[in-house]
Amino acid sequence: MRLPAVACLLFALMAQNGHAAAEQVITLPLPHALQVGDTAWIQVQVGVIGPGQEIELTTASGRELGVISPYGVRLGQASGIYTLPVPADAIRDDRIALRLTITQAGTAARAPTMQEVRSVKLILNRDSH
Amino acid sequence: MVRFTRREFLVTAASALGAAAFPLTSSWASPVPPVKPRPTAKYTRHNVASPEGQKMLASYAKGVEAMLKLPADHPQNWFRNAFVHLMDCPHGNWWFYAWHRGYVGYFEQTIRALSGNDQFAMPYWDWTQHPEIPSGMFDGVLSPTDHAYEPYTGNLAVFSSFIKPTLSGYWDRLSPAQRTQLDARGYPTFDDLWNDVTGYSVAVKAGISGNESFATTCAARYLSRSNPKLDPKTTYDVSPFVVLSGLAPIDFYNDETLQSFSSSKTPSHNTPPSGATKFCIIEGFPHNKVHNCIGGVGPLDPGPYGNMTNFLSPIDPIFFLHHANIDRLWDLWTRKQKHWNLPYLPTGKDLEDLANEPFLFYVDGKGNPVGPSKAGDYFNTEAFDYDYTPGFGEAMLQLRGPLLKAAQVEPLRGTVSANAGSVSVPSDLIQSHLANMQQKPLVAEVTLPRPDGVATAREFDVLVNAPEGVTQVSADSPYYAGTIAFFGPIMAGMKMSTETTFAIPLPKTLRAFSGLGAAKATTLNIRVVPSGGQGGTAPTLQAISIKAL
């Protein structure tokens, strides 16, 4: 039997009242230290974002973790749930410091609002038998 | 059931993909070792970077040119073909792979018929190995910015007068079943469909440039001959680490996204993505980001974008090379599953639901409507009798199958001194490694810095218990464990890790494993030396550990 997720952390994030913060780092602690067989994943639930907007995920030190670039989403619809693998060495001291940024040319990069990114989960996954 | 864990898959696959070793922390792979193609299919889809792929591009251009010249009321007209995608393509659901296999497959038949090359097969663009648009895709009609497109896409009025009347007539002749599917897609009327061409929003009573599927000729593709590279973020999303993570799931569908090879299970393939949509990795990252990067998301914000960003993306000929690669990854994943004796499709009711979904809009190579077909018709490549030459990821098939699971062993961490690592391994673990051919191998994890820009050596042999004077070995040496191969220098702007860990499966033939005797533990001394007389010096070892996969 496989355990789909041995740990899941839901993080309430970003600026209050839907206003964007200029920049914000969120720190997600692992529920336990990574063990043999564990893999770590970031799962982002994206709300409504505008055409051409993307959400970049990096560590606090700037290491790229991936870019969510919605395709095929109808105007005004939420963009869905995206799951990214996290390199083990992006995790330091049993935690990951994460920066989410809304990017769009011609405007300053900024932190997403609560309407744009509804949740961020850190998932540890392990298969067992 | 015996299974590989995801981490085991990633580490193992990464090890094999890099020939002897592969950087676990880097986004760059060594070249894939040669693997002979399966010699069974009638047609072979080649890597566009190969000589055979380049020949196919020449035929492709002939076919595109012929399609451009067909009248608007011909089902194989270039733009009519793109509207099949706009009207019917699934995204964010588990029909994504099957529908696009059918779409590319019938398109390939059309190019075969119109190019005069009866052996034509769509070349694929392996963006993991080559993260830039192939140069041939900027030549003539293979770029949607070519002057040949101007009579049709010079501006929206030109495009509308060319295609809209005939498309409206086509709409009026659609079957009730097709109209039902379009309803589900959000197109109850032709005007609703056309609004996605122009970007007009009924809700806001205004045009929204980013939602406009039409692109004028000069802005039809953002990337250009002088700027062909995928940007660094897109390059990351197509990197070995992300792609291997997408290939790792062992279920075609699983409610838990990270264990699912496909995206959400939905009522219809026309169900548009919404907030509940779970994108699998292959669709959500390499697929999406390549589309948007080529279309200019970012630099062209807030639009209008090039064709690739919206649902008339097949107007850009690069679309079919991109999707051939996505299809190749599905084929590779399927063969991996078969190789490991794992199911490659859902079972029971899920399989029925998946297989029986009607696809109603395809046009075949003779220009005839395919008629009602089902998703299940496209579950394997036999539907169009083709296979692929090897691309990134193929080497995973050289791995052994889902073997007996090794007892989980915490990594045995060694010490590093004077650029040599030393680690004590319990003899019973080595004996288990040697005795049971079904056992997963012991692996040395070697951490070292990536050579800097002035270093000449890029490949290093890993030696185990080699006498002090031994600095070069051949592959059959009893001290040789494998070769670490860096691919390229640190890329400017890539934020690449300078410290890299490689996993090297330890050969059972190492002299260090012979004559274990009665000792409870055996010390493995590990050194790294420049490979094959490259000269230079080896990077300074950072860490050594031994683990069982």
Side-chain angles (χ1 to χ4, degrees), chain A residues 25-44:
Chain A
V25 172
I26 56 177
T27 300
L28 303 177
L30 297 179
H32 61 73
L34 275 178
Q35 297 173 3
V36 174
D38 284 347
T39 49
W41 305 80
I42 296 289
Q43 194 168 81
V44 183

Side-chain angles (χ1 to χ4, degrees), chain A residues 2 41 52 54 56 62 65 67 69-72 75 79-85 89 104-105 125 127 129, chain B residues 1 5-6 25 208 233 236-237 245 251 259 274 277 279 281 288-289 292 298 301 305 309-311 313 405 495:
Chain A
R2 279 173 300 150
W41 305 80
E54 297 181 321
E56 182 177 7
L65 296 176
V67 177
S69 186
Y71 175 84
L75 195 64
S79 293
I81 300 166
Y82 299 78
T83 307
L84 279 159
D89 59 356
Q104 188 170 29
N125 184 60
D127 287 354
H129 304 279
Chain B
M1 187 174 186
T5 67
R6 180 180 298 268
T25 60
I208 296 177
K233 296 172 187 174
Y236 180 86
D237 277 1
S245 296
D251 292 332
Q259 294 182 351
S274 68
T277 298
F279 283 89
I281 290 174
N288 283 9
K289 192 71 176 80
N292 287 340
D301 291 343
Y305 305 109
T309 294
N310 287 312
F311 277 173
S313 42
K405 183 175 174 61
K495 300 185 179 72

Side-chain angles (χ1 to χ4, degrees), chain B residues 453-496:
Chain B
V454 297
T456 55
R458 288 284 182 272
E459 295 187 355
F460 305 95
D461 292 338
V462 178
L463 309 185
V464 179
N465 287 16
E468 190 172 344
V470 174
T471 57
Q472 283 193 34
V473 294
S474 58
D476 58 357
S477 165
Y479 311 119
Y480 174 75
T483 298
I484 289 168
F486 288 91
F487 183 75
I490 293 177
M491 308 296 288
M494 281 293 296
K495 300 185 179 72
M496 295 171 71

Side-chain angles (χ1 to χ4, degrees), chain B residues 131-179:
Chain B
E132 65 180 75
I133 291 188
S135 60
M137 294 304 295
F138 296 108
D139 294 341
V141 296
L142 295 183
S143 170
T145 62
D146 186 73
H147 65 81
Y149 289 80
E150 283 175 357
Y152 317 105
T153 59
N155 59 52
L156 180 57
V158 166
F159 186 64
S160 299
S161 65
F162 172 70
I163 200 82
K164 192 176 179 182
T166 191
L167 200 64
S168 176
Y170 170 67
W171 176 278
D172 291 338
R173 297 190 300 276
L174 292 174
S175 70
Q178 289 173 309
R179 293 291 294 273

